[in-house]
Amino acid sequence: LDRIERDLGCGKTVWSVLGCPVAVGNGYQAALMAPTEDLAKQHYETITKLTKDTPIHVAMLVGGQGKKLRNEVLADLAEGRTNIIIGTHALIEEKVAFEKLGLVVADEQHKFGVAQRKALHDKYHDAPPAILIMTATPIPQTLALTLYQDLDVSTIDEVPPRRQQIAQ
């Protein structure tokens, strides 16, 4: 379990996205969980662009998908045809099965409950995936996770050059 923290726009997502192809290159699948469909779609579009000239297959699983598309995504995921899945809380539903999950990234981790973040980990208790949690909102829960769950904290201590100002 690792955690990346820093301000909005500092590059946390880029670091997490870099871990996904590493997992895939080692024969595993990766899942990136976002708290909203809009954020999941942004991640999906970004990762799809970054992997467009590679054999990596990226898919998205969100609550608002039609049943036919959802069933196709679930089948591809379970059979290992999907390498990287981007989604919302839909990723932790009971019907979701992975062939070989190796990495789970939880973006904006403070917006998920402890049980929700651990659901994918616990689902595969015999071979649990690595978990990377990201946040721009340090909270007391980080201390508890560090003390009781062997959490390593990585802090991005500088922002990318020429970073645009973040409108809040």
Side-chain angles (χ1 to χ4, degrees):
L1 189 61
D2 195 10
R3 173 187 168 102
I4 297 177
E5 61 183 26
R6 182 57 190 208
D7 300 335
L8 291 169
C10 74
K12 294 183 303 294
T13 302
V14 171
W15 282 108
S16 70
V17 168
L18 290 174
C20 293
V22 171
V24 172
N26 284 292
Y28 293 94
Q29 293 167 296
L32 194 156
M33 194 164 57
T36 66
E37 285 192 25
D38 286 340
L39 187 54
K41 288 175 187 175
Q42 287 176 1
H43 288 321
Y44 175 75
E45 290 168 5
T46 300
I47 293 172
T48 299
K49 286 178 190 173
L50 293 171
T51 59
K52 74 176 181 175
D53 294 326
T54 71
I56 296 173
H57 179 253
V58 181
M60 184 170 66
L61 185 67
V62 294
Q65 285 175 314
K67 188 174 183 176
K68 181 180 178 188
L69 176 58
R70 184 180 191 78
N71 288 338
E72 289 173 8
V73 169
L74 290 172
D76 286 348
L77 191 60
E79 294 171 20
R81 290 187 295 269
T82 295
N83 306 112
I84 301 173
I85 186 81
I86 315 300
T88 57
H89 295 79
L91 291 174
I92 60 176
E93 292 176 359
E94 196 170 315
K95 319 179 209 190
V96 178
F98 292 82
E99 182 183 63
K100 192 174 181 185
L101 182 61
L103 174 65
V104 175
V105 177
D107 194 4
E108 297 297 330
Q109 65 90 19
H110 59 281
K111 294 185 179 180
F112 294 99
V114 173
Q116 291 170 320
R117 284 196 314 271
K118 287 193 64 184
L120 286 173
H121 181 276
D122 293 347
K123 195 175 201 178
Y124 299 95
H125 57 82
D126 55 332
I131 297 178
L132 173 63
I133 56 177
M134 300 184 300
T135 189
T137 311
I139 54 176
Q141 185 182 45
T142 302
L143 179 58
L145 288 169
T146 304
L147 291 173
Y148 301 113
Q149 290 190 346
D150 193 26
L151 175 70
D152 296 320
V153 178
S154 301
T155 302
I156 298 175
D157 59 6
E158 56 186 70
V159 296
R162 298 177 303 283
R163 178 183 87 163
Q164 297 176 352
Q165 287 291 70
I166 304 299
Q168 294 184 356

PDB file of all heavy atoms in Angstrom, residues 26-38:
ATOM      1  N   ASN A  26       4.186  -6.844 -16.674  1.00  0.00           N
ATOM      2  CA  ASN A  26       4.535  -7.979 -15.826  1.00  0.00           C
ATOM      3  C   ASN A  26       3.438  -9.034 -15.778  1.00  0.00           C
ATOM      4  O   ASN A  26       3.444  -9.906 -14.912  1.00  0.00           O
ATOM      5  CB  ASN A  26       4.874  -7.489 -14.411  1.00  0.00           C
ATOM      6  CG  ASN A  26       6.248  -6.854 -14.368  1.00  0.00           C
ATOM      7  OD1 ASN A  26       7.255  -7.533 -14.521  1.00  0.00           O
ATOM      8  ND2 ASN A  26       6.290  -5.547 -14.198  1.00  0.00           N
ATOM      9  N   GLY A  27       2.475  -8.932 -16.696  1.00  0.00           N
ATOM     10  CA  GLY A  27       1.440  -9.955 -16.811  1.00  0.00           C
ATOM     11  C   GLY A  27       0.206  -9.742 -15.954  1.00  0.00           C
ATOM     12  O   GLY A  27      -0.593 -10.663 -15.783  1.00  0.00           O
ATOM     13  N   TYR A  28       0.034  -8.553 -15.418  1.00  0.00           N
ATOM     14  CA  TYR A  28      -1.113  -8.266 -14.561  1.00  0.00           C
ATOM     15  C   TYR A  28      -2.050  -7.249 -15.200  1.00  0.00           C
ATOM     16  O   TYR A  28      -1.692  -6.576 -16.158  1.00  0.00           O
ATOM     17  CB  TYR A  28      -0.642  -7.698 -13.214  1.00  0.00           C
ATOM     18  CG  TYR A  28       0.115  -8.678 -12.381  1.00  0.00           C
ATOM     19  CD1 TYR A  28       1.500  -8.740 -12.433  1.00  0.00           C
ATOM     20  CD2 TYR A  28      -0.558  -9.567 -11.535  1.00  0.00           C
ATOM     21  CE1 TYR A  28       2.205  -9.649 -11.667  1.00  0.00           C
ATOM     22  CE2 TYR A  28       0.147 -10.478 -10.768  1.00  0.00           C
ATOM     23  CZ  TYR A  28       1.521 -10.512 -10.835  1.00  0.00           C
ATOM     24  OH  TYR A  28       2.216 -11.414 -10.077  1.00  0.00           O
ATOM     25  N   GLN A  29      -3.221  -7.130 -14.622  1.00  0.00           N
ATOM     26  CA  GLN A  29      -4.166  -6.085 -14.994  1.00  0.00           C
ATOM     27  C   GLN A  29      -4.071  -4.976 -13.958  1.00  0.00           C
ATOM     28  O   GLN A  29      -3.657  -5.206 -12.820  1.00  0.00           O
ATOM     29  CB  GLN A  29      -5.592  -6.631 -15.010  1.00  0.00           C
ATOM     30  CG  GLN A  29      -5.833  -7.659 -16.110  1.00  0.00           C
ATOM     31  CD  GLN A  29      -7.142  -8.393 -15.892  1.00  0.00           C
ATOM     32  OE1 GLN A  29      -7.301  -9.098 -14.909  1.00  0.00           O
ATOM     33  NE2 GLN A  29      -8.068  -8.218 -16.824  1.00  0.00           N
ATOM     34  N   ALA A  30      -4.474  -3.772 -14.370  1.00  0.00           N
ATOM     35  CA  ALA A  30      -4.479  -2.627 -13.470  1.00  0.00           C
ATOM     36  C   ALA A  30      -5.861  -1.998 -13.471  1.00  0.00           C
ATOM     37  O   ALA A  30      -6.561  -2.007 -14.482  1.00  0.00           O
ATOM     38  CB  ALA A  30      -3.438  -1.607 -13.909  1.00  0.00           C
ATOM     39  N   ALA A  31      -6.254  -1.471 -12.313  1.00  0.00           N
ATOM     40  CA  ALA A  31      -7.548  -0.793 -12.170  1.00  0.00           C
ATOM     41  C   ALA A  31      -7.317   0.582 -11.577  1.00  0.00           C
ATOM     42  O   ALA A  31      -6.569   0.724 -10.605  1.00  0.00           O
ATOM     43  CB  ALA A  31      -8.472  -1.607 -11.258  1.00  0.00           C
ATOM     44  N   LEU A  32      -7.943   1.596 -12.169  1.00  0.00           N
ATOM     45  CA  LEU A  32      -7.875   2.945 -11.632  1.00  0.00           C
ATOM     46  C   LEU A  32      -9.294   3.340 -11.250  1.00  0.00           C
ATOM     47  O   LEU A  32     -10.180   3.378 -12.090  1.00  0.00           O
ATOM     48  CB  LEU A  32      -7.304   3.917 -12.666  1.00  0.00           C
ATOM     49  CG  LEU A  32      -6.877   5.281 -12.122  1.00  0.00           C
ATOM     50  CD1 LEU A  32      -5.834   5.901 -13.040  1.00  0.00           C
ATOM     51  CD2 LEU A  32      -8.016   6.230 -11.933  1.00  0.00           C
ATOM     52  N   MET A  33      -9.509   3.585  -9.970  1.00  0.00           N
ATOM     53  CA  MET A  33     -10.835   3.884  -9.440  1.00  0.00           C
ATOM     54  C   MET A  33     -10.941   5.371  -9.125  1.00  0.00           C
ATOM     55  O   MET A  33     -10.115   5.915  -8.392  1.00  0.00           O
ATOM     56  CB  MET A  33     -11.066   3.049  -8.176  1.00  0.00           C
ATOM     57  CG  MET A  33     -12.485   3.006  -7.716  1.00  0.00           C
ATOM     58  SD  MET A  33     -12.811   1.672  -6.513  1.00  0.00           S
ATOM     59  CE  MET A  33     -11.657   2.002  -5.209  1.00  0.00           C
ATOM     60  N   ALA A  34     -11.950   6.024  -9.712  1.00  0.00           N
ATOM     61  CA  ALA A  34     -12.190   7.447  -9.497  1.00  0.00           C
ATOM     62  C   ALA A  34     -13.555   7.617  -8.822  1.00  0.00           C
ATOM     63  O   ALA A  34     -14.454   6.805  -9.023  1.00  0.00           O
ATOM     64  CB  ALA A  34     -12.162   8.185 -10.831  1.00  0.00           C
ATOM     65  N   PRO A  35     -13.731   8.687  -8.043  1.00  0.00           N
ATOM     66  CA  PRO A  35     -14.977   8.849  -7.297  1.00  0.00           C
ATOM     67  C   PRO A  35     -16.179   9.307  -8.126  1.00  0.00           C
ATOM     68  O   PRO A  35     -17.308   9.168  -7.687  1.00  0.00           O
ATOM     69  CB  PRO A  35     -14.630   9.892  -6.233  1.00  0.00           C
ATOM     70  CG  PRO A  35     -13.508  10.665  -6.827  1.00  0.00           C
ATOM     71  CD  PRO A  35     -12.740   9.686  -7.674  1.00  0.00           C
ATOM     72  N   THR A  36     -15.942   9.828  -9.332  1.00  0.00           N
ATOM     73  CA  THR A  36     -17.060  10.296 -10.164  1.00  0.00           C
ATOM     74  C   THR A  36     -16.904   9.792 -11.592  1.00  0.00           C
ATOM     75  O   THR A  36     -15.783   9.495 -12.042  1.00  0.00           O
ATOM     76  CB  THR A  36     -17.131  11.838 -10.207  1.00  0.00           C
ATOM     77  OG1 THR A  36     -15.967  12.335 -10.888  1.00  0.00           O
ATOM     78  CG2 THR A  36     -17.228  12.441  -8.807  1.00  0.00           C
ATOM     79  N   GLU A  37     -18.022   9.730 -12.317  1.00  0.00           N
ATOM     80  CA  GLU A  37     -17.960   9.315 -13.716  1.00  0.00           C
ATOM     81  C   GLU A  37     -17.174  10.313 -14.547  1.00  0.00           C
ATOM     82  O   GLU A  37     -16.434   9.922 -15.451  1.00  0.00           O
ATOM     83  CB  GLU A  37     -19.366   9.123 -14.289  1.00  0.00           C
ATOM     84  CG  GLU A  37     -20.026   7.856 -13.793  1.00  0.00           C
ATOM     85  CD  GLU A  37     -21.293   7.484 -14.554  1.00  0.00           C
ATOM     86  OE1 GLU A  37     -21.447   7.884 -15.733  1.00  0.00           O
ATOM     87  OE2 GLU A  37     -22.128   6.775 -13.967  1.00  0.00           O
ATOM     88  N   ASP A  38     -17.321  11.599 -14.257  1.00  0.00           N
ATOM     89  CA  ASP A  38     -16.581  12.610 -15.014  1.00  0.00           C
ATOM     90  C   ASP A  38     -15.073  12.417 -14.877  1.00  0.00           C
ATOM     91  O   ASP A  38     -14.336  12.468 -15.870  1.00  0.00           O
ATOM     92  CB  ASP A  38     -16.957  14.024 -14.560  1.00  0.00           C
ATOM     93  CG  ASP A  38     -18.329  14.448 -15.047  1.00  0.00           C
ATOM     94  OD1 ASP A  38     -18.848  13.846 -16.017  1.00  0.00           O
ATOM     95  OD2 ASP A  38     -18.892  15.396 -14.459  1.00  0.00           O
TER      96      ASP A  38
END
